[in-house]
Amino acid sequence: MTKLAIAINLERCTGCNTCTMACKMQNNVPDGMLWNRVILEGCDSEFGAQGEYPNLTKRFIPVACQHCENPACMKVCPTGATFKDDKGRVEIDYDKCIGCRMCMAACPYNARVFNWNEPVRSTGFNYGHKDVPVRPKGVAEKCTLCKERTDAGDVPMCVRCCLSEARVYGDLDDPNSEISQLIASKNAYVLLPEKGTKPQVHYFN
């Protein structure tokens, strides 16, 4: 079996949002929508910092689809549009999506976005990977773990473009892979483990 995933080193993440923009360009994500977000961990000031001057810190947490092993979104999808593929990724068949948004309500990570109107791309043309499907009005969409790239043996664009090399991509089912060894050695954790979704995206410090 194969279980593709990403591990993110939060000590390296600087919140530059390069992953966000790389994802947007790679996947032709419409204006006003993001598949990959970078959020500030529980900040207690208007400047997004924790602590008191001069001992201030910031910690950024990139969040996208967690490609869960037990995805809540898939359980509630009435048409089977959301599915797990043979590489462990949670994907969407846009031809089957009826826009009910049950998946959006079920996802505890707020990882999906919805095309309420005809999608507008600022460049006026499709600038993503040539094989990335163009999503129409009325469907939910999200991170696909750059299926078109990873099917070809490459890494997701967010991993490729991360300036601080905070992201590691690989197969969780291979105990000798870099990602598996990192997760084991760094006591990596997942977001919202109490939800029982078993995310395949891991975080470590």
Side-chain angles (χ1 to χ4, degrees):
M1 295 289 290
T2 301
K3 192 186 293 183
L4 298 179
I6 291 176
I8 303 174
N9 184 340
L10 296 182
E11 284 193 347
R12 281 183 171 269
C13 179
T14 63
C16 68
N17 279 287
T18 299
C19 57
T20 299
M21 293 299 103
C23 169
K24 192 172 180 69
M25 295 297 293
Q26 165 73 19
N27 296 290
N28 198 14
V29 178
D31 292 358
M33 296 167 58
L34 297 173
W35 287 6
N36 196 332
R37 298 165 291 131
V38 179
I39 61 177
L40 273 172
E41 185 179 51
C43 50
D44 55 12
S45 82
E46 61 180 312
F47 303 107
Q50 293 177 298
E52 294 183 5
Y53 179 82
N55 301 310
L56 295 171
T57 61
K58 282 186 178 182
R59 191 160 89 141
F60 301 94
I61 305 177
V63 180
C65 175
Q66 302 292 294
H67 294 277
C68 302
E69 194 172 330
N70 182 33
C73 57
M74 187 174 75
K75 291 180 178 180
V76 301
C77 180
T79 64
T82 297
F83 64 98
K84 287 278 287 183
D85 70 9
D86 60 356
K87 294 184 179 179
R89 299 167 299 201
V90 176
E91 302 292 347
I92 302 173
D93 183 337
Y94 299 111
D95 291 332
K96 291 183 178 180
C97 180
I98 58 173
C100 68
R101 305 187 299 284
M102 291 291 289
C103 58
M104 297 179 71
C107 175
Y109 308 100
N110 195 27
R112 296 189 178 219
V113 291
F114 189 75
N115 285 322
W116 289 97
N117 302 298
E118 289 298 333
V120 175
R121 276 93 179 177
S122 57
T123 59
F125 61 91
N126 297 331
Y127 50 78
H129 188 287
K130 63 181 179 62
D131 294 328
V132 173
V134 178
R135 288 78 59 196
K137 174 183 176 181
V139 300
E141 50 180 89
K142 66 171 192 66
C143 159
T144 65
L145 214 57
C146 284
K147 182 180 187 301
E148 293 72 25
R149 292 176 60 85
T150 49
D151 276 351
D154 207 338
V155 301
M157 189 58 82
C158 62
V159 176
R160 173 72 64 205
C161 293
C162 180
L163 300 177
S164 56
E165 298 182 352
R167 292 170 176 255
V168 176
Y169 163 81
D171 182 4
L172 293 179
D173 271 356
D174 177 3
N176 296 315
S177 66
E178 181 184 6
I179 190 171
S180 292
Q181 293 180 0
L182 268 175
I183 288 171
S185 65
K186 298 290 187 179
N187 295 317
Y189 62 91
V190 297
L191 299 179
L192 304 179
E194 68 276 10
K195 298 297 183 180
T197 56
K198 299 181 179 179
Q200 291 173 197
V201 176
H202 289 71
Y203 299 83
F204 63 96
N205 299 312

